[in-house]
Amino acid sequence: MNLHEYQAKELLSRFGVPIQRGVLVEKKEDAEAAFAKLQAETGTKWCVVKAQIHAGGRGKGGGVKLAKNLDDVKTHVNNILGMMLKTPQTPGGMEGPGKLVRKVLMTEDVYYPNADGVMDTKEFYLSILTDRTKEANVIIYSTEGGMDIEKVAKETPELVHKEYVHPHVGFQAYQARKIAFNLGLSGDAYKSMVKFVTNIYNAYVSSDASLVEINPCLKTSDNKIVAADAKLSLDDNGLYRHPDLEVLNDEHEEDPTEVEAKNFGLNFVKLDGNVGCMVNGAGLAMATMDIIQLSGGKPANFLDVGGTADAQRVENAFRIILRDPNVDAILINVFGGIVRCERIAQGVVDAYKNIGNIHIPIVVRLQGNGAEVAKKLIDESGLDVHSAVTLQEAADLVNKVLTK
Ligand code: GDP
Ligand code: MN
């Protein structure tokens, strides 16, 4: 599960990580009051208006703008709120449709000069993730922060450093000092960075995160270290331990059909082929997708109805698959282990009739408990539903009805 920048910053600040503070704005008419509130709370002169979508590279797409007065603030909020923001990371990239911006974060300006009027900021890169091959968390950091870390990693990989954390020993004080030193810091900035890294590592571990990325991690002109941007992904498997974080999920950022499937308790992933699949068990679903592909077809989705594939679940699954206009045929492959095949067969027939307007062919392969009775039920249903015995037969049949 991914968090928005404003949510990630809020979480990090609970762990003592200094952040660029901000006010969330959801309506254009709230811009003026939000700016006044931000100035009162932070003393900032200028502010930055930042689109809140789950994609990086917002700056490049025009989703991050500096405002130097109230007119600027209004203009930027008006332009960014409600825009379809295209960044190199939104679906389809800069050529794609972009993502609708529903919220903006209005933040204090942290790129201010020091007491002598001199600009002395430095943008660093810092991220933490789990390196599965090394079986350890790794802190990745660089002096070359800002907008183009991908380019830095590609062209000058020697400028990107890695610090591994021993899983039993944990993050050590000397590691924090080493990172601050390698970033070329001294004095107050050095001390701030030691604390910053330590706190951010605690936040990463305590929230069962799978990624935290701060880019830019800013050294301000007065030698503070602040998170000017924050990206945070949480491990879905750890979410049950964090009910307070689970509620931060933004369903607008997910595929609507996948959200609906999740609400039905179905495991669904949309793909770009034309054969809809309905299978019980993730392993069988993968095997089914493979054999469809090997027989010349293309799966339109992965759908695991789960071990207890009852009539209601079959009907829900039908509705989800039929949402996809690319689906030209459906292959149902269910193994009757706990469930009896004839109950599934009856479920398929009932769902077909309940839904009513199904005008694509369906191939059903039921194996296991009660398979023969089930096949008879399908064959005698009088519907555009065909039965198959082996998986290969089913895959061949679905490709055949497709080309008919
Ligand atoms: P991203 O493009 O999605 O990674 O969004 P960021 O939050 O990293 O913002 C993009 C860029 O905006 C940063 O690299 C900074 O150069 C700039 N920026 C962010 N915060 C401030 C700020 O407080 N003041 C100024 N002047 N620029 C900022
Ligand atoms: Mn950034």
Side-chain angles (χ1 to χ4, degrees):
M1 181 183 127
N2 295 321
L3 298 187
H4 283 295
E5 176 192 2
Y6 74 93
Q7 299 168 323
K9 283 178 167 172
E10 207 270 315
L11 188 152
L12 292 176
S13 74
R14 274 191 259 148
F15 287 86
V17 177
I19 55 155
Q20 175 196 40
R21 292 164 296 174
V23 176
L24 193 69
V25 181
E26 295 179 71
K27 289 195 223 101
K28 291 180 178 177
E29 58 269 29
D30 294 344
E32 185 169 352
F35 186 46
K37 182 166 182 251
L38 183 71
Q39 287 190 314
E41 281 176 6
T42 68
T44 193
K45 195 163 132 210
W46 298 340
C47 83
V48 187
V49 179
K50 310 180 83 177
Q52 299 298 291
I53 56 164
H54 287 182
R58 293 164 302 166
K60 286 181 188 161
V64 178
K65 295 277 187 199
L66 181 67
K68 299 188 177 179
N69 52 53
L70 183 59
D71 279 346
D72 282 2
V73 169
K74 286 184 183 165
T75 307
H76 296 324
V77 171
N78 270 325
N79 290 343
I80 298 177
L81 251 188
M83 86 187 281
M84 291 299 289
L85 178 57
K86 296 175 198 182
T87 88
Q89 294 180 19
T90 47
M94 299 301 276
E95 259 70 71
K99 269 188 161 182
L100 178 65
V101 181
R102 296 167 187 271
K103 294 172 187 169
V104 297
L105 181 63
M106 194 184 285
T107 69
E108 61 178 325
D109 170 31
V110 285
Y111 291 58
Y112 49 78
N114 65 18
D116 302 326
V118 180
M119 273 299 273
D120 184 22
T121 55
K122 187 92 190 67
E123 293 179 319
F124 301 118
Y125 174 89
L126 183 84
S127 67
I128 307 174
L129 47 94
T130 303
D131 183 330
R132 291 179 189 279
T133 39
K134 290 259 165 62
E135 299 179 5
N137 291 333
V138 60
I139 300 169
I140 302 174
Y141 62 101
S142 175
T143 50
E144 307 306 301
M147 293 217 256
D148 258 320
I149 191 66
E150 290 82 5
K151 198 167 152 225
V152 176
K154 213 164 143 195
E155 291 169 12
T156 46
E158 68 279 7
L159 295 177
V160 179
H161 305 281
K162 287 183 179 176
E163 184 69 24
Y164 290 93
V165 180
H166 192 288
H168 294 162
V169 182
F171 187 63
Q172 298 292 297
Y174 82 88
Q175 296 183 294
R177 293 196 294 268
K178 180 173 153 194
I179 292 170
F181 179 80
N182 283 344
L183 289 173
L185 297 171
S186 59
D188 286 344
Y190 174 94
K191 285 185 208 153
S192 306
M193 183 57 90
V194 168
K195 276 197 207 136
F196 188 95
V197 179
T198 308
N199 291 344
I200 218 155
Y201 189 81
N202 284 339
Y204 176 83
V205 172
S206 307
S207 57
D208 289 317
S210 53
L211 169 79
V212 56
E213 184 182 59
I214 311 297
N215 188 33
C217 167
L218 191 80
K219 183 200 87 70
T220 61
S221 297
D222 54 354
N223 292 317
K224 290 182 189 134
I225 304 292
V226 298
D229 187 10
K231 194 183 240 183
L232 202 106
S233 307
L234 302 170
D235 183 343
D236 290 347
N237 295 316
L239 274 182
Y240 75 98
R241 309 207 295 183
H242 308 280
D244 58 323
L245 300 180
E246 204 167 9
V247 299
L248 299 179
N249 188 36
D250 183 352
E251 291 198 339
H252 293 303
E253 294 285 337
E254 296 172 44
D255 181 281
T257 315
E258 289 182 16
V259 172
E260 205 189 342
K262 196 156 79 184
N263 293 337
F264 282 144
L266 303 167
N267 235 318
F268 175 86
V269 182
K270 192 182 154 3
L271 302 167
D272 52 16
N274 59 349
V275 181
C277 308
M278 191 193 302
V279 189
N280 67 337
L284 190 59
M286 285 194 274
T288 307
M289 287 161 57
D290 281 352
I291 204 151
I292 290 171
Q293 187 98 24
L294 290 170
S295 309
K298 277 198 100 183
N301 67 275
F302 167 99
L303 195 157
D304 172 11
V305 286
T308 51
D310 56 31
Q312 190 54 53
R313 290 173 82 82
V314 169
E315 185 172 328
N316 292 341
F318 256 131
R319 290 185 192 276
I320 297 280
I321 295 176
L322 290 166
R323 282 281 148 76
D324 182 352
N326 295 334
V327 170
D328 296 325
I330 298 178
L331 173 54
I332 301 176
N333 183 20
V334 173
F335 176 74
I338 299 166
V339 276
R340 294 193 60 85
C341 290
E342 65 263 37
R343 288 196 54 192
I344 299 293
Q346 192 60 52
V348 169
V349 171
D350 291 348
Y352 194 100
K353 289 180 181 161
N354 274 344
I355 295 171
N357 56 349
I358 301 181
H359 30 63
I360 54 172
I362 298 182
V363 175
V364 185
R365 182 227 178 203
L366 297 166
Q367 266 304 344
N369 236 336
E372 276 149 41
V373 186
K375 184 171 184 325
K376 198 154 171 270
L377 239 160
I378 297 286
D379 289 342
E380 291 171 1
S381 68
L383 306 170
D384 192 7
V385 184
H386 312 266
S387 67
V389 178
T390 69
L391 185 47
Q392 185 63 61
E393 220 178 284
D396 289 340
L397 190 57
V398 82
N399 284 318
K400 200 172 112 196
V401 294
L402 260 183
T403 48
K404 226 170 36 182

